[in-house]
Amino acid sequence: MKTTFGALLLGLCFSTGALAQKTINANFGHGFPANSIHHQAAVEFQEEVEKLSDGSIKVHVFHSGQLGSAREMFEGLQLGTQQITWVPTARISGFAPQLQLFDLPFLFKDMAFLEQVLDGDVGQRLLDSLSTQQVTGVGFYIDGFKAMTANKPLRSLDDFKGVKFRTMESDIVMSFYRSLGADPVPMDYAEVYNGLQMGTIDGQENPIVLINDMKFHEVQKHLTVSEHAVLAGVLVYSSQWLERLSPEHQDLLKQAGQNLIKRQREMARTAEANDLATIEKSGTTVVRLTDDEKEPLRNASQSVEAQYVKAHGNELLALIKAEAAK
């Protein structure tokens, strides 16, 4: 009877403990609109995490900067007041200037090579370096190679002179446009449409997917497919929050994060061709730069790479170039 009573008491304790276990809540904020592939992928991540955790982890997704700017959300991760975000690397260059490597012009020859770098040793080193900022880097998403929009065709260096070009708050990106003769204007992503419409800025750069998401082509007459640089971003968790979770939950979140990265890349590849066709049908003139037309831009911007090396060294850049040479 004592044994039976003890077993019942022990079972009751376990049952009470299970019922008392708190649900883990995670706020996933980002700056992309509700109709974007980024938000769609984030919602699928939410569903996957809740399913794999049997509902013990609840992810709440907030789009369109509802939790603040990229800087504010990154700071939220550092403080532990926000748990998850994904953000373009250039938007957090103030916290992690080494990530400006991805902003260097004409560094990656094609998408296959970019993915090879991001998923290899260089990418892992960059993710590991984020630990000094109290965040955990999970992986890099890719929006694609950048294009430019303006109210005139942008083919030659002369076309860039005096153009007020919206950029992210990245020294490398701003230096690139200065090297072309343009006037870079840092501006929050959510303000770009109005800036173009009101004439505060004359042009902007983004991958095709984001240009279509934000309808920038509605207020710009020309789109130049320049492929001069890439827009990659990083999925990050709050280290303070993550480290309080069980090893099982940590592994679950990291695996779901890897799945999210893979899903976003696939969606971006599919969307790009469709979105470019949509932009052309809207009446926006699309200019595709030839290799010969890209060469003067490449030559004019060589100083930007030297600027990066002076600030951050040549080690990672040399690794990328050695890999490209193979």
Side-chain angles (χ1 to χ4, degrees):
M1 289 181 63
K2 287 181 180 180
T3 302
T4 302
F5 178 76
L8 288 170
L9 182 61
L10 185 62
L12 180 62
C13 289
F14 275 120
S15 177
T16 303
L19 290 172
Q21 184 180 6
K22 290 183 179 179
T23 300
I24 298 164
N25 288 290
N27 288 339
F28 184 169
H30 63 78
F32 301 102
N35 64 341
S36 65
I37 60 171
H38 306 81
H39 184 62
Q40 181 183 337
V43 170
E44 292 178 13
F45 167 84
Q46 170 191 31
E47 294 168 350
E48 180 181 0
V49 169
E50 293 184 5
K51 180 180 179 181
L52 293 177
S53 69
D54 292 325
S56 62
I57 302 177
K58 297 288 185 183
V59 178
H60 310 278
V61 182
F62 298 87
H63 58 79
S64 306
Q66 291 173 318
L67 297 186
S69 66
R71 172 178 289 274
E72 289 167 338
M73 287 189 285
F74 194 87
E75 289 173 344
L77 264 63
Q78 293 176 312
L79 296 171
T81 56
Q82 183 176 325
Q83 291 70 46
I84 306 171
T85 191
W86 56 1
V87 59
T89 55
R91 295 291 300 277
I92 55 171
S93 60
F95 300 99
Q98 66 274 19
L99 292 179
Q100 290 186 325
L101 178 73
F102 298 115
D103 300 326
L104 290 173
F106 303 106
L107 179 60
F108 301 99
K109 58 184 180 180
D110 55 36
M111 186 60 65
F113 181 63
L114 173 62
E115 290 191 331
Q116 181 180 328
V117 171
L118 290 179
D119 298 336
D121 180 53
V122 171
Q124 190 58 54
R125 289 194 194 192
L126 289 169
L127 290 175
D128 292 343
S129 73
L130 292 172
S131 63
T132 62
Q133 295 296 320
Q134 292 79 54
V135 301
T136 300
V138 180
F140 293 98
Y141 69 87
I142 303 171
D143 287 326
F145 283 89
K146 293 178 182 178
M148 307 171 183
T149 65
N151 286 323
K152 64 177 182 177
L154 299 174
R155 285 187 179 274
S156 69
L157 285 173
D158 287 340
D159 296 330
F160 287 90
K161 290 181 179 177
V163 175
K164 293 179 290 185
F165 229 95
R166 179 268 173 179
T167 70
M168 297 183 186
E169 292 184 48
S170 163
D171 292 339
I172 295 297
V173 177
M174 289 189 284
S175 292
F176 170 67
Y177 281 100
R178 288 192 192 100
S179 75
L180 302 184
D183 181 16
V185 180
M187 181 180 289
D188 189 78
Y189 184 60
E191 299 172 6
V192 176
Y193 186 97
N194 286 338
L196 294 169
Q197 190 174 43
M198 300 298 292
T200 309
I201 48 176
D202 303 317
Q204 63 82 45
E205 62 161 25
N206 263 298
I208 302 295
V209 172
L210 300 190
I211 291 171
N212 187 62
D213 279 350
M214 298 299 284
K215 310 302 179 188
F216 294 146
H217 56 284
E218 292 180 349
V219 286
Q220 297 271 263
K221 296 177 182 178
H222 298 271
L223 182 146
T224 300
V225 181
S226 52
E227 299 179 327
H228 60 283
V230 300
L231 186 62
V234 61
L235 174 65
V236 280
Y237 298 160
S238 166
S239 296
Q240 185 181 145
W241 166 72
L242 188 68
E243 290 166 5
R244 289 201 300 263
L245 304 182
S246 69
E248 292 77 16
H249 279 151
Q250 291 184 36
D251 289 344
L252 182 156
L253 284 161
K254 288 176 181 177
Q255 184 57 56
Q258 290 293 330
N259 293 342
L260 173 59
I261 292 294
K262 181 180 179 182
R263 189 178 300 121
Q264 184 277 340
R265 292 184 189 181
E266 291 171 348
M267 293 169 76
R269 280 194 292 269
T270 301
E272 183 172 291
N274 295 332
D275 289 348
L276 185 57
T278 298
I279 291 170
E280 286 190 281
K281 288 178 183 176
S282 74
T284 297
T285 301
V286 175
V287 173
R288 293 170 173 82
L289 294 188
T290 65
D291 288 340
D292 287 342
E293 288 172 322
K294 291 177 185 178
E295 194 62 26
L297 308 185
R298 183 183 288 107
N299 292 336
S301 59
Q302 286 181 352
S303 61
V304 181
E305 184 175 300
Q307 175 185 334
Y308 178 87
V309 171
K310 183 178 180 180
H312 308 296
N314 193 43
E315 182 182 3
L316 295 182
L317 193 57
L319 288 174
I320 292 173
K321 291 187 174 182
E323 194 67 30
K326 295 178 182 178

